[in-house]
PDB file of all heavy atoms in Angstrom:
ATOM      1  N   PHE B 310       6.131  13.313   2.144  1.00 81.00           N
ATOM      2  CA  PHE B 310       5.441  12.162   1.551  1.00 81.00           C
ATOM      3  C   PHE B 310       6.336  10.956   1.230  1.00 81.00           C
ATOM      4  O   PHE B 310       5.851   9.932   0.936  1.00 81.00           O
ATOM      5  CB  PHE B 310       4.527  12.448   0.358  1.00 81.00           C
ATOM      6  CG  PHE B 310       3.549  13.590   0.653  1.00 81.00           C
ATOM      7  CD1 PHE B 310       3.533  14.735   0.046  1.00 81.00           C
ATOM      8  CD2 PHE B 310       2.465  13.232   1.562  1.00 81.00           C
ATOM      9  CE1 PHE B 310       2.564  15.724   0.421  1.00 81.00           C
ATOM     10  CE2 PHE B 310       1.489  14.124   1.864  1.00 81.00           C
ATOM     11  CZ  PHE B 310       1.544  15.399   1.290  1.00 81.00           C
ATOM     12  N   GLN B 311       7.643  11.139   1.107  1.00 85.00           N
ATOM     13  CA  GLN B 311       8.503  10.019   0.858  1.00 85.00           C
ATOM     14  C   GLN B 311       8.859   9.314   2.168  1.00 85.00           C
ATOM     15  O   GLN B 311       9.104   9.923   3.212  1.00 85.00           O
ATOM     16  CB  GLN B 311       9.755  10.455   0.138  1.00 85.00           C
ATOM     17  CG  GLN B 311       9.383  10.997  -1.201  1.00 85.00           C
ATOM     18  CD  GLN B 311      10.669  11.520  -1.951  1.00 85.00           C
ATOM     19  OE1 GLN B 311      11.534  12.103  -1.352  1.00 85.00           O
ATOM     20  NE2 GLN B 311      10.821  11.140  -3.275  1.00 85.00           N
ATOM     21  N   PHE B 312       8.951   7.947   2.157  1.00 90.00           N
ATOM     22  CA  PHE B 312       9.273   7.234   3.323  1.00 90.00           C
ATOM     23  C   PHE B 312      10.806   6.756   3.242  1.00 90.00           C
ATOM     24  O   PHE B 312      11.196   6.285   2.274  1.00 90.00           O
ATOM     25  CB  PHE B 312       8.477   5.978   3.454  1.00 90.00           C
ATOM     26  CG  PHE B 312       7.072   6.218   3.914  1.00 90.00           C
ATOM     27  CD1 PHE B 312       6.550   7.451   3.996  1.00 90.00           C
ATOM     28  CD2 PHE B 312       6.262   5.150   4.191  1.00 90.00           C
ATOM     29  CE1 PHE B 312       5.266   7.644   4.443  1.00 90.00           C
ATOM     30  CE2 PHE B 312       4.894   5.348   4.650  1.00 90.00           C
ATOM     31  CZ  PHE B 312       4.431   6.572   4.654  1.00 90.00           C
ATOM     32  N   TYR B 313      11.487   6.902   4.361  1.00 92.00           N
ATOM     33  CA  TYR B 313      12.824   6.387   4.583  1.00 92.00           C
ATOM     34  C   TYR B 313      12.806   5.409   5.708  1.00 92.00           C
ATOM     35  O   TYR B 313      12.380   5.783   6.926  1.00 92.00           O
ATOM     36  CB  TYR B 313      13.828   7.544   4.718  1.00 92.00           C
ATOM     37  CG  TYR B 313      13.908   8.366   3.544  1.00 92.00           C
ATOM     38  CD1 TYR B 313      13.187   9.561   3.402  1.00 92.00           C
ATOM     39  CD2 TYR B 313      14.746   8.055   2.420  1.00 92.00           C
ATOM     40  CE1 TYR B 313      13.232  10.324   2.250  1.00 92.00           C
ATOM     41  CE2 TYR B 313      14.761   8.861   1.235  1.00 92.00           C
ATOM     42  CZ  TYR B 313      13.989  10.021   1.271  1.00 92.00           C
ATOM     43  OH  TYR B 313      13.980  10.769   0.073  1.00 92.00           O
ATOM     44  N   PHE B 314      13.102   4.193   5.440  1.00 94.00           N
ATOM     45  CA  PHE B 314      12.911   3.115   6.491  1.00 94.00           C
ATOM     46  C   PHE B 314      14.206   2.851   7.269  1.00 94.00           C
ATOM     47  O   PHE B 314      15.316   2.979   6.812  1.00 94.00           O
ATOM     48  CB  PHE B 314      12.496   1.772   5.773  1.00 94.00           C
ATOM     49  CG  PHE B 314      11.052   1.765   5.289  1.00 94.00           C
ATOM     50  CD1 PHE B 314      10.688   2.238   4.089  1.00 94.00           C
ATOM     51  CD2 PHE B 314      10.178   1.250   6.106  1.00 94.00           C
ATOM     52  CE1 PHE B 314       9.409   2.274   3.621  1.00 94.00           C
ATOM     53  CE2 PHE B 314       8.744   1.240   5.735  1.00 94.00           C
ATOM     54  CZ  PHE B 314       8.428   1.720   4.510  1.00 94.00           C
ATOM     55  N   GLY B 315      13.916   2.423   8.543  1.00 95.00           N
ATOM     56  CA  GLY B 315      14.909   1.907   9.360  1.00 95.00           C
ATOM     57  C   GLY B 315      15.416   0.580   8.862  1.00 95.00           C
ATOM     58  O   GLY B 315      14.799   0.007   7.882  1.00 95.00           O
ATOM     59  N   THR B 316      16.392   0.028   9.509  1.00 94.00           N
ATOM     60  CA  THR B 316      16.965  -1.267   9.007  1.00 94.00           C
ATOM     61  C   THR B 316      16.152  -2.505   9.493  1.00 94.00           C
ATOM     62  O   THR B 316      16.542  -3.572   9.108  1.00 94.00           O
ATOM     63  CB  THR B 316      18.424  -1.376   9.579  1.00 94.00           C
ATOM     64  OG1 THR B 316      18.438  -1.079  10.973  1.00 94.00           O
ATOM     65  CG2 THR B 316      19.268  -0.445   8.830  1.00 94.00           C
ATOM     66  N   GLY B 317      15.133  -2.286  10.319  1.00 96.00           N
ATOM     67  CA  GLY B 317      14.283  -3.384  10.651  1.00 96.00           C
ATOM     68  C   GLY B 317      14.706  -4.114  12.019  1.00 96.00           C
ATOM     69  O   GLY B 317      15.840  -4.175  12.370  1.00 96.00           O
ATOM     70  N   THR B 318      13.748  -4.593  12.663  1.00 97.00           N
ATOM     71  CA  THR B 318      13.917  -5.354  13.942  1.00 97.00           C
ATOM     72  C   THR B 318      13.170  -6.715  13.810  1.00 97.00           C
ATOM     73  O   THR B 318      11.916  -6.680  13.545  1.00 97.00           O
ATOM     74  CB  THR B 318      13.399  -4.714  15.194  1.00 97.00           C
ATOM     75  OG1 THR B 318      14.122  -3.448  15.307  1.00 97.00           O
ATOM     76  CG2 THR B 318      13.520  -5.489  16.412  1.00 97.00           C
ATOM     77  N   SER B 319      13.842  -7.793  13.940  1.00 97.00           N
ATOM     78  CA  SER B 319      13.161  -9.112  13.881  1.00 97.00           C
ATOM     79  C   SER B 319      12.791  -9.504  15.312  1.00 97.00           C
ATOM     80  O   SER B 319      13.603  -9.788  16.117  1.00 97.00           O
ATOM     81  CB  SER B 319      14.237 -10.182  13.350  1.00 97.00           C
ATOM     82  OG  SER B 319      13.587 -11.352  13.275  1.00 97.00           O
ATOM     83  N   LEU B 320      11.497  -9.527  15.460  1.00 98.00           N
ATOM     84  CA  LEU B 320      10.949  -9.790  16.805  1.00 98.00           C
ATOM     85  C   LEU B 320      10.479 -11.244  16.860  1.00 98.00           C
ATOM     86  O   LEU B 320       9.718 -11.690  15.976  1.00 98.00           O
ATOM     87  CB  LEU B 320       9.788  -8.839  17.190  1.00 98.00           C
ATOM     88  CG  LEU B 320       8.949  -9.192  18.383  1.00 98.00           C
ATOM     89  CD1 LEU B 320       9.852  -8.969  19.655  1.00 98.00           C
ATOM     90  CD2 LEU B 320       7.776  -8.237  18.580  1.00 98.00           C
ATOM     91  N   THR B 321      10.952 -11.919  17.913  1.00 98.00           N
ATOM     92  CA  THR B 321      10.417 -13.323  18.094  1.00 98.00           C
ATOM     93  C   THR B 321       9.863 -13.387  19.451  1.00 98.00           C
ATOM     94  O   THR B 321      10.506 -13.058  20.542  1.00 98.00           O
ATOM     95  CB  THR B 321      11.638 -14.288  18.058  1.00 98.00           C
ATOM     96  OG1 THR B 321      12.288 -14.196  16.766  1.00 98.00           O
ATOM     97  CG2 THR B 321      11.133 -15.786  18.263  1.00 98.00           C
TER      98      THR B 321
END
Side-chain angles (χ1 to χ4, degrees):
Chain B
F310 300 114
Q311 292 179 321
F312 283 10
Y313 296 93
F314 283 88
T316 48
T318 296
S319 178
L320 173 64
T321 301

